[in-house]
Amino acid sequence: MLLVFSTSVWAVSPYIQGDAVPAGTVQAVANSVETKLKNAGFKVVGKYFPKDLAGHGVVVATDDAMLREVGASGGYAVLGAAIRVGVKANGSVAYTNPDYWQRAYLRRDFEKREPAVKAVQERLKGALGAGKPQGGDELPANLASYRYMIGMERVDSPKNKLAEYDSFNEAVKVVRDNLAKGVGKTSKVYEIVLPDRKLAVFGVAMNDGANSDGEWLKKIEMQENVAGLPYEIYVVGNEVGAPHGRFRIALAFPDVGMGQFMRISSLPNVIIETMSAVAGTDKKSTTDAWQ
């Protein structure tokens, strides 16, 4: 009993409930959240209303102080550049917990940068409120090397690499241009570029029928945690990559069981193919489905 109690106390959740705002259209709710974020000094870089998920949306923001930490850490830390706030037409709000996501993306650098992470978390609390945690939980010690199950991918999986170009600028241009063209039935939700650090991350909306973000989120019954969207593609130096589906989806929804993940058994392969198209290459996988 003591062990169970200790685990529950020290575990970290991916999302935090914010204070509700007046109900209305989901776009109006998103606008209310955008105003709160801007008033607190955050920069809003995109809004997303997933196809096939009526009444749900995501406001994406960033913060200069956090970007400095991400840039200094480099590499996969760029995945932690965005703060995502899930909203619903009924006025409910839930945002990504920096303490959870930055442990996973800053990894060994987290302890050194923890004061900055905590400062951002306090500012989010002031802007949006801080109610109950939601979305499941993980022990903090597990997040730096997180994987869903033995044998599955971590954040630094070599499978993440999709393409390589002659320069950082060329890699960014390819991704930006392909998203503008809607390659792979995608569209851009946001982009955050740190040119001096040669780091960039793009939020990618996947709009392809049964594999659209709204459809697969409903299949695993995670609509309440819409702040897990959108998916990312990133540029580090001259390489383009995307986190493997079996890592990124599980990290966003740690309380989802294998039975639920089997409902989207082909999605990791779909993600590889979709993000490869955005990266300007043709990469297929037939061995990394949920199984």
Side-chain angles (χ1 to χ4, degrees), residues 120-153:
V120 169
Q121 191 153 357
E122 283 300 308
R123 289 178 54 218
L124 283 169
K125 178 180 178 180
L128 302 175
K132 295 179 181 179
Q134 70 179 48
D137 54 55
E138 284 290 330
L139 293 177
N142 293 344
L143 286 167
S145 57
Y146 178 82
R147 62 181 177 187
Y148 183 65
M149 294 177 64
I150 293 174
M152 290 192 178
E153 294 73 19

Side-chain angles (χ1 to χ4, degrees), residues 64-200:
D64 287 343
M66 195 68 251
L67 289 184
R68 286 193 292 272
E69 303 300 324
V70 164
S73 186
Y76 303 106
V78 74
L79 288 165
I83 298 161
R84 303 184 303 277
V85 185
V87 297
K88 293 174 62 179
N90 66 5
S92 63
V93 174
Y95 56 91
T96 49
N97 179 2
D99 189 46
Y100 178 94
W101 293 86
Q102 298 299 357
R103 286 179 187 275
Y105 292 147
L106 292 172
R107 308 183 78 200
R108 295 181 184 89
D109 275 359
F110 179 82
E111 185 175 352
K112 179 168 59 176
R113 308 191 189 283
E114 187 172 6
V117 175
K118 297 297 185 186
V120 169
Q121 191 153 357
E122 283 300 308
R123 289 178 54 218
L124 283 169
K125 178 180 178 180
L128 302 175
K132 295 179 181 179
Q134 70 179 48
D137 54 55
E138 284 290 330
L139 293 177
N142 293 344
L143 286 167
S145 57
Y146 178 82
R147 62 181 177 187
Y148 183 65
M149 294 177 64
I150 293 174
M152 290 192 178
E153 294 73 19
R154 294 189 171 97
V155 68
D156 58 355
S157 170
K159 298 174 186 176
N160 293 355
K161 183 177 177 180
L162 302 175
E164 184 173 342
Y165 291 93
D166 290 337
S167 69
F168 171 74
N169 289 338
E170 182 184 3
V172 169
K173 185 178 187 305
V174 168
V175 172
R176 187 181 284 149
D177 290 351
N178 282 337
L179 287 172
K181 290 184 236 180
V183 168
K185 298 185 179 179
T186 62
S187 56
K188 185 178 78 173
V189 176
Y190 69 87
E191 69 172 80
I192 300 169
V193 181
L194 305 177
D196 57 327
R197 297 289 185 173
K198 291 185 169 53
L199 297 171

Side-chain angles (χ1 to χ4, degrees), residues 15-43:
Y15 310 103
I16 298 172
Q17 292 178 12
D19 297 334
V21 301
T25 65
V26 68
Q27 289 82 4
V29 172
N31 289 341
S32 295
V33 167
E34 178 178 10
T35 299
K36 286 187 171 190
L37 288 168
K38 287 181 174 178
N39 288 343
F42 294 97
K43 180 182 179 181

Side-chain angles (χ1 to χ4, degrees), residues 48-54 184-187 189 204-223 226 228-231 249 253 263-268 270-271 274-275:
Y48 182 35
F49 305 101
K51 179 183 176 182
D52 305 315
L53 197 62
K185 298 185 179 179
T186 62
S187 56
V189 176
V204 180
M206 296 193 293
N207 306 311
D208 186 10
N211 293 311
S212 72
D213 289 326
E215 287 297 338
W216 70 256
L217 204 63
K218 286 188 289 188
K219 287 178 183 177
I220 60 171
E221 302 173 48
M222 283 291 112
Q223 301 95 307
V226 68
L229 299 176
Y231 213 89
I249 299 169
F253 310 109
R263 301 173 194 169
I264 55 169
S265 60
S266 63
L267 187 62
V270 170
I271 288 170
T274 300
M275 298 301 164

